Amino acid sequence: MMGLMWYLMGMATTGAIWGYAALRRRYRLGSGANLALFCTFVLAWLCVGWSWGSFAEGEPQSGAMGLICFGLSTLVAAALSWRHLIQPGKRS
């Protein structure tokens, strides 16, 4: 079960790198946008790893806490970074 988690997290990391490359081609990203995107990725990776690991170990309350704390923080960080740092930038 944990091997599947690491495989899927590796695939998600590859997809995130491809998505970042596509976003960088379309928008001019400054250092603040790059930092916000990196922090959003780290929060999402932590959310998946914490929650999946907790559910796999039979601790559903810890998994739910990870989804709420890290997952909600990921959504907020992604929305704020898009709205305030990426979208106002000029298109390349």
Side-chain angles (χ1 to χ4, degrees), residues 41-92:
F41 170 74
V42 168
L43 278 172
W45 215 68
L46 187 61
C47 174
V48 172
W50 180 297
S51 301
W52 193 316
S54 295
F55 287 126
E57 291 177 0
E59 298 289 336
Q61 289 178 334
S62 177
M65 185 212 52
L67 285 174
I68 290 172
C69 292
F70 301 122
L72 186 60
S73 299
T74 300
L75 292 176
V76 169
L80 289 177
S81 64
W82 175 261
R83 183 172 287 177
H84 295 291
L85 297 172
I86 298 171
Q87 194 176 22
K90 295 179 182 177
R91 291 184 179 243
S92 297

Side-chain angles (χ1 to χ4, degrees), residues 12-36:
T13 301
T14 303
I17 291 171
W18 282 350
Y20 174 75
L23 193 63
R24 192 169 176 97
R25 280 194 301 265
R26 291 193 182 127
Y27 293 95
R28 186 177 304 163
L29 300 177
S31 60
N34 286 324
L35 182 62

